[in-house]
Amino acid sequence: MLWLTLLNILLFWEIISDFMLVLKIFAIITIISFVLNHVESKPLAAILIVAISWFVVFEWWQFFGGIYLLYTLITLGISGMLVDFFFISGMAGDRTPQQVADDNSPVSSSLDLAQRKERLEAARRIHAMKKRPGGMMR
Amino acid sequence: MSQRGIHLMVLIFVALFVLLLLPPIIMAIFKPADLLIRILLTIMIFATVRNMLGSNALTIVISSVLVYILVIKYAPITASLYIFFFVLLAYNFIAAVMWGLTRLPR
């Protein structure tokens, strides 16, 4: 069983190193594309590509690897997903889905309207009580 | 955060994990889907590299390396990430999933 665990760990590291290589290739492609789009002169572009690739991919990869991964994820729209995630999970208060559905449903009768007004009034009273320094009701 | 918020967070994590697991499972069950996804991934990789480098020999070399690693060696992982990021996230389906989970009765 121990050798199986070790094999799994080795395979995991192999996957990580392979995907690191893919990330490095994509980083180099991005650098080449960026330089070719911004520099007209071919020899200067070649020198810049070699210099930036050496600096980013081979010298400071621990730093730029994380930044490049973050840049890629943001480009793909991960920030929108995070906003949705924290907004929706943060919005989920203690109200039950039945209460939310009740408030969103159209008014069906005068009794329903009276109950809604009563609930709203109660909520206002509680809110006013919380805002007052002493927390006392009049 | 309230108890319900934490419960919802866990639900969203589980839903996203299931969405990540779906493509490899489908690829394992239906072989035509496996082939189709591999072809799609190959085309996507080649198009991405050609778009950035232009049509030359370097494009073919880099595409070949990427296709070997991503499509031949780790197809299930790549398919999972591709479907998640380029299909579901790009078309904002994840937001619909999260919104749907808030409407679940508890």
Side-chain angles (χ1 to χ4, degrees):
Chain A
M1 288 308 274
L2 183 67
W3 66 269
L4 205 64
T5 315
L6 284 174
L7 188 68
N8 277 337
I9 292 170
L10 282 175
L11 281 177
F12 177 74
W13 282 113
E14 192 193 337
I15 292 171
I16 294 289
S17 61
D18 279 347
F19 274 90
M20 198 67 90
L21 175 67
V22 169
L23 202 65
K24 283 181 180 178
I25 290 171
F26 272 112
I28 291 174
I29 294 171
T30 310
I31 290 166
I32 293 172
S33 171
F34 180 80
V35 173
L36 288 181
N37 279 335
H38 288 83
V39 180
E40 290 286 325
S41 164
K42 289 285 173 188
L44 183 62
I47 292 168
L48 278 175
I49 287 167
V50 171
I52 296 172
S53 299
W54 176 78
F55 186 69
V56 169
V57 177
F58 299 106
E59 192 73 11
W60 280 82
W61 180 245
Q62 273 81 5
F63 179 66
F64 285 107
I67 289 179
Y68 183 69
L69 187 65
L70 196 67
Y71 164 76
T72 312
L73 290 176
I74 288 171
T75 311
L76 292 173
I78 197 87
S79 52
M81 194 187 87
L82 287 177
V83 167
D84 285 341
F85 179 69
F86 288 110
F87 183 70
I88 286 177
S89 57
M91 285 284 285
D94 291 325
R95 296 165 78 223
T96 61
Q98 187 56 47
Q99 284 171 322
V100 175
D102 285 349
D103 286 353
N104 291 339
S105 64
V107 177
S108 56
S109 64
S110 58
L111 180 66
D112 183 27
L113 184 65
Q115 282 173 346
R116 282 177 194 226
K117 274 184 179 170
E118 200 175 304
R119 275 208 299 271
L120 199 63
E121 199 54 45
R124 273 192 194 135
R125 277 203 300 273
I126 290 168
H127 183 66
M129 192 174 71
K130 277 182 183 169
K131 274 181 76 177
R132 209 159 289 142
M136 296 281 287
M137 284 182 76
R138 238 182 286 177
Chain B
M1 193 179 289
S2 68
Q3 190 72 26
R4 195 161 164 261
I6 293 167
H7 178 67
L8 192 60
M9 245 182 174
V10 175
L11 259 182
I12 290 171
F13 269 122
V14 172
L16 296 185
F17 188 65
V18 170
L19 281 177
L20 269 173
L21 278 183
L22 264 181
I25 292 170
I26 291 171
M27 283 169 76
I29 295 171
F30 303 109
K31 287 296 161 194
D34 182 24
L35 185 65
L36 194 68
I37 288 176
R38 280 173 198 256
I39 291 170
L40 276 177
L41 287 174
T42 307
I43 293 170
M44 192 269 299
I45 288 168
F46 184 70
T48 308
V49 176
R50 197 183 60 177
N51 189 32
M52 292 173 112
L53 298 182
S55 297
N56 51 39
L58 190 64
T59 301
I60 295 170
V61 172
I62 290 177
S63 299
S64 313
V65 173
L66 289 175
V67 165
Y68 171 68
I69 296 173
L70 294 175
V71 180
I72 298 172
K73 208 171 174 188
Y74 299 113
I77 299 174
T78 313
S80 175
L81 294 175
Y82 173 72
I83 299 287
F84 189 81
F85 284 109
F86 286 89
V87 179
L88 300 178
L89 203 60
Y91 294 105
N92 228 359
F93 185 72
I94 303 288
V97 171
M98 287 184 189
W99 175 80
L101 287 172
T102 61
R103 318 300 292 178
L104 280 180
R106 284 175 192 88

